[in-house]
Amino acid sequence: MEYKRAFDAHGEEYVGGVEIKSETTGRITAVFATLHVVDHDGDVTLPGAFTNGAPVMISDWNHTSWQGAKPVGKGVIYEDGDEAILEGQFFMSTTHGRDAFETVKELGELASFSYGFDVDDSAPAPRESTYGREHRRTLRKMTVHEVSPVLVAAGINTRLVAVKSDLQRTAGVPLDPSTRDELLRLRTQLMGDELNELKRLRNSFYGDLERAALIEELKGYAVTEGFLTGYREVSGPDVPAKAREAARGALARLAAPGVTVRWFVEENDPARVEFTDTKIGGFCRPQAVPDQVWVRADLGAAKAYEVVTHEIAHLDGADEEQAQLAGLRALCERWAVMNRCTDSVAAALALVKAAIARDREAHDALITMVDPADLVHRAGCPRRARRRAGDPPPRRLP
């Protein structure tokens, strides 16, 4: 068994500190060792050398409990950063316990601590130690039996941290009337504040439930009366093959890697409705889900191609008119390539732009067209593509 001696050849002093909180409980917090430094015995203690939560005795002054003096308290030890800490309780029901506590309390920042231990694992200091020439031994694991207040500690910066208190009265020492009244007033105020906050949260919760129920009721009424349409999602196999191919073609044309298409259909059964909206062919949420577009599964191939292009334009930051032009341009280009009439696209788009600038109703009529051939025909191009005898059949795009 070893203990860190209360005196040694080095004789170095340290600066300690104490925070006095109460003089009644006999509880203390003290630093009894410092890790990663060479102490006055030439030892370096590594982290993990002390067992956190290990019970120890508090020995009488200068480890004299080893010579027969009664222990003055008990506690537990643990590591906190580079310090080993004692959380101790002096035996305040005994004369020697109270005397030892009063001595430590009065010493305050002059108090120093040491400990008695058995070495479980250690190693000699290397020849060229990073801790310096005074490093003699490295302590890796120890069993601590007691911690003691001492005159001069072998450990570095051991000190009394705090003489702790609790909020309980000591036996036979009642609170004075003014303090008791103030504590009761504060308790009543805190309970009242807590109750008011609970009432506010309850009312807010019930209000949210009522609003949610009302919204659902209004949505159901709106769907029943035809003001809103119910929808639900469908998977790929439930989507017509031509619509799926058209959507893939639009994604490939726009070089939109990572963007996925999800499909939905109208749903009249309220129990199966997943979301409601006005009559729509597609939508996207650029802020919430910037890599996803939704398309109605019952659209034709051409319309699905246009809607995918339209919604991806929104993902890229386009407003509604810009997205509509993008969709119409894609629709016209798709039709022109299929019918070998690419020279008509520019004229068709010019007609679209003129309609937007001139007449909102004409514009709305244009964007609802399913057959781009009508749009190209309005631009002054033949309704059917001119083909010579022997030309290959028109290219079929998805």
Side-chain angles (χ1 to χ4, degrees):
M1 197 286 299
E2 301 181 38
Y3 62 88
K4 291 298 179 183
R5 298 184 304 279
F7 54 90
D8 57 33
H10 294 275
E12 293 185 17
E13 296 184 356
Y14 63 93
V15 178
V18 58
E19 179 184 357
I20 303 296
K21 295 184 177 179
S22 172
E23 301 180 1
T24 60
T25 64
R27 292 190 295 124
I28 66 167
T29 298
V31 176
F32 67 90
T34 303
L35 312 180
H36 275 313
V37 297
V38 181
D39 66 21
H40 298 321
D41 289 333
D43 291 335
V44 172
T45 304
L46 298 183
F50 300 103
T51 301
N52 289 335
V56 296
M57 293 183 294
I58 301 176
S59 180
D60 205 353
W61 186 261
N62 262 5
H63 301 287
T64 52
S65 290
W66 291 102
Q67 286 79 47
K70 296 178 181 178
V72 296
K74 63 181 181 179
V76 295
I77 60 172
Y78 61 90
E79 294 179 4
D80 183 10
D82 286 335
E83 295 181 329
I85 308 294
L86 165 70
E87 292 283 351
Q89 170 71 61
F90 281 83
F91 298 149
M92 300 299 283
S93 61
T94 66
T95 301
H96 61 281
R98 287 196 302 273
D99 289 345
F101 173 73
E102 290 296 330
T103 300
V104 169
K105 184 188 71 175
E106 293 300 330
L107 282 173
E109 65 180 14
L110 296 177
S112 181
F113 290 84
S114 179
Y115 59 100
F117 62 99
D118 286 327
V119 177
D120 300 323
D121 186 13
S122 66
R127 184 183 297 262
E128 299 293 334
S129 173
T130 57
Y131 294 101
R133 290 182 299 174
E134 296 184 350
H135 181 197
R136 300 172 185 172
R137 180 176 61 166
T138 301
L139 299 175
R140 297 171 176 167
K141 195 67 180 177
M142 294 175 285
T143 299
V144 177
H145 302 288
E146 53 86 24
V147 177
S148 172
V150 294
L151 185 63
V152 178
I156 302 299
N157 199 29
T158 66
R159 65 200 186 276
L160 182 65
V161 176
V163 177
K164 294 192 172 182
S165 67
D166 55 24
L167 297 179
Q168 298 176 346
R169 296 178 299 169
T170 54
V173 184
L175 294 172
D176 63 84
S178 60
T179 301
R180 179 182 177 83
D181 292 343
E182 179 65 13
L183 289 175
L184 289 174
R185 184 189 67 79
L186 290 174
R187 185 183 69 173
T188 302
Q189 179 180 338
L190 288 173
M191 291 179 63
D193 291 344
E194 183 175 324
L195 183 60
N196 290 334
E197 179 64 14
L198 288 173
K199 288 180 179 178
R200 186 191 68 79
L201 291 174
R202 183 194 62 183
N203 293 337
S204 175
F205 174 72
Y206 286 142
D208 291 342
L209 288 180
E210 291 175 359
R211 281 190 292 274
L214 180 59
I215 289 172
E216 290 302 316
E217 183 179 351
L218 289 174
K219 283 183 177 180
Y221 174 77
V223 170
T224 302
E225 296 299 320
F227 300 118
L228 291 176
T229 302
Y231 298 101
R232 64 178 174 87
E233 184 178 6
V234 293
S235 58
D238 296 326
V239 181
K242 289 186 177 180
R244 294 201 307 271
E245 292 173 4
R248 285 196 293 268
L251 292 175
R253 169 185 171 274
L254 295 169
V259 177
T260 58
V261 177
R262 299 178 69 171
W263 304 89
F264 64 93
V265 294
E266 289 190 18
E267 179 55 64
N268 297 321
D269 182 358
R272 302 183 67 190
V273 169
E274 296 177 3
F275 63 95
T276 58
D277 209 320
T278 56
K279 289 284 186 180
I280 54 174
F283 66 91
C284 65
R285 300 185 180 95
Q287 299 300 321
V289 190
D291 58 354
Q292 194 175 95
V293 297
W294 289 73
V295 182
R296 278 182 61 132
D298 55 356
L299 298 179
K303 192 65 178 176
Y305 190 92
E306 176 196 354
V307 170
V308 170
T309 305
H310 178 116
E311 300 303 336
I312 290 180
H314 279 312
L315 293 182
D316 291 337
D319 60 23
E320 184 60 23
E321 288 190 355
Q322 292 169 335
Q324 289 171 353
L325 279 175
L328 285 171
R329 179 183 182 87
L331 195 62
C332 292
E333 288 176 347
R334 179 177 185 275
W335 180 89
V337 170
M338 291 174 62
N339 292 275
R340 297 183 177 276
C341 189
T342 55
D343 57 341
S344 65
V345 174
L349 290 175
L351 178 65
V352 173
K353 293 178 180 179
I356 293 175
R358 180 182 68 254
D359 185 349
R360 187 76 221 179
E361 291 184 1
H363 164 252
D364 292 341
L366 284 173
I367 67 170
T368 57
M369 287 184 178
V370 174
D371 186 2
D374 291 337
L375 183 59
V376 176
H377 179 65
R378 287 194 183 194
C381 299
R383 189 173 184 81
R384 295 182 178 275
R386 293 187 292 273
R387 293 177 55 209
R388 296 187 300 245
D391 281 349
R395 179 183 174 190
R396 296 296 176 184
L397 295 182

